[in-house]
Amino acid sequence: MKTKNFHWHMSGRQFRDYHLLLDEHAEQIFAMTDDIAERARKIGGTTIRSIGDIARHQRVRDNDKESVAPEDMLKYLRTDNRELTRFLRSAHAVCEKHSDVATASLIENWIDQTERRTWFLSEIVNGL
């Protein structure tokens, strides 16, 4: 949600480039959530049920500020993607422990996507 929020509220000189980049990133992240939910159901688990359920399980902090400078948006998202990579690597270790190669394979792709987002955001932030 934070990535989509920043996409909606982007402004400034690089508006178009950042707006499109964050839209692409949000699409990747939302696609991951569907894959996660379907995989959970395939192996007999349950999924999130509501906004409140999401809030109870959330580990990446929201940003509810009315105004955030574009460079700060990018820095926050870079940090969040780094954190997501750590979470995914931890989940991958659990999959390996339980010989869940199908979920591990999905997670490997998500790690790659997340590292790519982090790379793009880092290159932009480092160039500011």
Side-chain angles (χ1 to χ4, degrees), residues 68-120:
V68 179
E71 56 275 2
D72 290 336
M73 289 180 185
L74 300 172
K75 288 176 184 176
Y76 290 138
L77 294 176
R78 177 183 60 180
T79 299
D80 291 347
N81 277 277
R82 285 178 177 158
E83 189 172 18
L84 179 56
T85 298
R86 286 192 296 278
F87 295 149
L88 290 169
R89 288 185 188 285
S90 177
H92 190 276
V94 172
C95 293
E96 285 182 335
K97 179 180 175 185
H98 295 281
S99 300
D100 183 355
V101 295
T103 305
S105 177
L106 289 171
I107 291 172
E108 289 164 4
N109 290 322
W110 300 331
I111 289 170
D112 185 57
Q113 291 173 4
T114 304
E115 288 176 337
R116 184 175 192 268
R117 286 191 303 272
T118 302
W119 169 42
F120 275 51

Side-chain angles (χ1 to χ4, degrees), residues 24-38 110 113:
E24 176 187 315
H25 288 188
E27 285 177 18
Q28 288 175 358
I29 295 165
F30 283 137
M32 285 172 53
T33 61
D34 191 52
D35 289 343
I36 292 167
E38 288 180 4
W110 300 331
Q113 291 173 4

